[in-house]
Amino acid sequence: FKINNRLLLFDHINGELLQFDDLFRPENRSTISYQTARGWRKELLKDDVTQELYAHFAPDGLHRLEKIDPDNGHIVRTCPLGEVRYLSANFKIRDGHLYYIGQDDVNIPNHKLYKVDITQRNKP
């Protein structure tokens, strides 16, 4: 991910976050552990407007976003998403809003675009 003038490389297999400057010189290396938590969907989302990073979790079908600190790779905030449908896909974040395609009922094949404000759902 590119955030401002830094490039962030998440090495989930080795549990590291590597940071590079705009000339690709190594700046910092830190350990990460969120990828071992139950329910991680192996998906990182970046808000292009606010430059915030989120890890997407859905244990037992209950979706939530965990905000990642780009300086050290640790989780700093949890955003529960109770209204996100069980059958949902194509998650994108823009300007503090989560957009996704969802399906209300497995028997009705209609998909809809949903918008959820995640800035009001933050827990310290």
Side-chain angles (χ1 to χ4, degrees):
F1 290 98
K2 183 180 184 307
I3 296 182
N4 299 325
N5 61 350
R6 290 187 303 168
L7 180 67
L8 304 179
L9 177 65
F10 289 87
D11 183 0
H12 293 116
I13 294 172
N14 296 317
E16 291 183 329
L17 169 61
L18 307 169
Q19 297 181 21
F20 300 91
D21 65 5
D22 55 351
L23 297 175
F24 299 108
R25 293 179 298 218
E27 280 189 342
N28 194 7
R29 178 181 290 220
S30 48
T31 60
I32 55 175
S33 62
Y34 64 84
Q35 77 278 10
T36 60
R38 182 175 165 266
W40 185 51
R41 293 191 57 172
K42 298 180 178 154
E43 183 176 26
L44 295 178
L45 303 169
K46 178 185 162 200
D47 188 329
D48 289 327
V49 175
T50 64
Q51 301 291 306
E52 294 178 339
L53 289 174
Y54 295 90
H56 183 193
F57 291 83
D60 301 324
L62 301 173
H63 294 268
R64 75 176 188 276
L65 296 176
E66 303 276 341
K67 183 179 176 190
I68 299 173
D69 184 355
D71 294 327
N72 57 23
H74 296 143
I75 301 296
V76 293
R77 194 168 50 208
T78 299
C79 304
L81 302 169
E83 68 271 45
V84 174
R85 307 296 188 258
Y86 180 72
L87 298 171
S88 55
N90 297 338
F91 290 85
K92 304 289 181 198
I93 298 178
R94 176 131 177 103
D95 200 19
H97 292 88
L98 172 70
Y99 297 90
Y100 67 95
I101 302 294
Q103 184 177 351
D104 288 332
D105 188 353
V106 70
N107 297 319
I108 301 172
N110 295 337
H111 293 82
K112 297 178 187 175
L113 176 65
Y114 291 93
K115 176 182 175 182
V116 177
D117 184 6
I118 59 173
T119 58
Q120 302 299 320
R121 305 180 179 280
N122 300 330
K123 285 184 177 178

